[in-house]
Amino acid sequence: SSQSDPVLTLICCLWFQEQLHHVFSSFGPLYLLKLCANAPLHPPGFYAIIKFYSAAHAANAQRLTDGRPLLHNSTLKVKLSSKQTPHFLSGRNSPLSHARCLELANHYLGFNGWTSDIITLKELTNEKEGEDEEEDVGGARQRIRFGCMMKLSFPRYGVTTRGAAVVEETFNCTGPDVLLQRRCKLQRSVREKALVQAFSSVLLILLGNGKVMVELKQTSDQFEADETEDVLEVNEFSLSEADDEEADDEDWDLTVS
């Protein structure tokens, strides 16, 4: 009957989402919790998709919650997702967004467990495009480009790594205020991109006793240490890509119904 009343459906959905988050976040940090009402042809109710950062946490949550009366004394049917997606089959690993990197590092290491420092932040270009052409309506075309190198440290573990990024944007400049706003926005964006690049080489190893180890990823095509002392991989982004970082919401780990 709740499906006939959109307001009641929304209230119930929010309540169930809060309860599910309380239950499942106790097993480990959640990457995603998505709650939806059943399709019209199905009995009234809800189903949820829950994604953990850790597959071990997902398996443990499924084992300890399946068939248990956790909400209103109603038993939950919990199963691990068997859905195969191109994201997993291709072996492609998308880096976590800046916000998720901070969330995960703070959860496992604490706010004092890691530090980040700017090694360099530099404007690489500040030039007008098409100077020989007429100005666009509202102002000239302006291109700004920033590069940044960040140092990421984990003092407790004696681990340090670096990340670098270059970000640029082209826009119609209508005045100094617009240029200042765009420059500040781009500076923030390139710092975040560089930090994400640094985090992409970090492994958080969860031990069975609850402790955490921090290591750096080792790849088969890495150079020898003395050959890579001053070598960094630099990712270049346009500002339009800033909102395309999140992993695909089709990659589910847990299904709750």
Side-chain angles (χ1 to χ4, degrees):
S1 61
S2 63
Q3 289 185 334
S4 62
D5 186 342
V7 176
L8 183 57
T9 299
L10 177 60
I11 294 175
C12 291
C13 187
L14 292 175
W15 185 86
F16 276 112
Q17 181 168 320
E18 181 181 354
Q19 297 302 308
L20 287 172
H21 187 277
H22 175 73
V23 170
F24 285 95
S25 63
S26 64
F27 295 97
L30 303 181
Y31 179 86
L32 175 74
L33 193 158
K34 186 175 182 179
L35 189 67
C36 303
N38 287 341
L41 298 180
H42 290 75
F46 300 91
Y47 68 93
I49 305 296
I50 300 175
K51 186 173 183 179
F52 286 84
Y53 287 99
S54 165
H57 291 163
N60 191 40
Q62 187 274 334
R63 179 174 57 86
L64 295 178
T65 58
D66 184 33
R68 302 292 180 89
L70 299 176
L71 305 176
H72 274 318
N73 296 324
S74 298
T75 58
L76 292 178
K77 181 196 290 186
V78 185
K79 61 180 181 180
L80 292 174
S81 174
S82 58
K83 187 173 184 178
Q84 298 296 313
T85 67
H87 175 81
F88 285 127
L89 296 178
S90 66
R92 177 179 62 87
N93 288 321
S94 299
L96 295 176
S97 68
H98 177 260
R100 293 189 185 278
C101 286
L102 301 187
E103 176 186 16
L104 207 57
N106 290 335
H107 177 85
Y108 285 114
L109 305 175
F111 292 99
N112 298 321
W114 63 279
T115 61
S116 63
D117 300 286
I118 298 175
I119 298 176
T120 181
L121 175 60
K122 184 178 180 181
E123 186 170 359
L124 303 178
T125 61
N126 183 15
E127 58 192 39
K128 294 181 180 179
E129 294 188 346
E131 291 182 338
D132 297 333
E133 301 177 0
E134 294 184 2
E135 290 188 353
D136 296 333
V137 177
R141 295 288 290 174
Q142 185 86 18
R143 181 169 73 97
I144 52 177
R145 194 165 184 252
F146 278 94
C148 180
M149 183 182 296
M150 298 284 293
K151 178 181 178 182
L152 183 60
S153 303
F154 304 88
R156 194 179 307 166
Y157 306 92
V159 174
T160 300
T161 186
R162 294 182 179 184
V166 174
V167 178
E168 71 173 45
E169 183 183 13
T170 303
F171 59 96
N172 288 332
C173 184
T174 57
D177 291 343
V178 173
L179 183 59
L180 179 61
Q181 291 174 2
R182 297 279 184 161
R183 184 175 283 115
C184 292
K185 183 178 180 180
L186 214 60
Q187 286 179 351
R188 182 176 66 253
S189 178
V190 75
R191 290 197 304 267
E192 293 179 355
K193 296 286 188 182
L195 189 60
V196 167
Q197 177 71 4
F199 268 115
S200 67
S201 64
V202 175
L203 287 174
L204 297 179
I205 303 173
L206 309 182
L207 305 179
N209 57 6
K211 293 184 178 181
V212 180
M213 290 182 60
V214 178
E215 298 286 348
L216 297 182
K217 294 180 182 178
Q218 300 293 328
T219 58
S220 58
D221 58 348
Q222 274 186 317
F223 298 106
E224 295 297 327
D226 57 351
E227 298 176 349
T228 60
E229 182 176 356
D230 297 317
V231 177
L232 284 175
E233 178 183 354
V234 179
N235 283 356
E236 185 164 345
F237 306 87
S238 66
L239 197 61
S240 61
E241 297 172 335
D243 298 328
D244 297 334
E245 301 172 331
E246 299 297 333
D248 190 348
D249 283 351
E250 295 298 324
D251 305 334
W252 311 125
D253 285 336
L254 257 181
T255 301
V256 184
S257 58

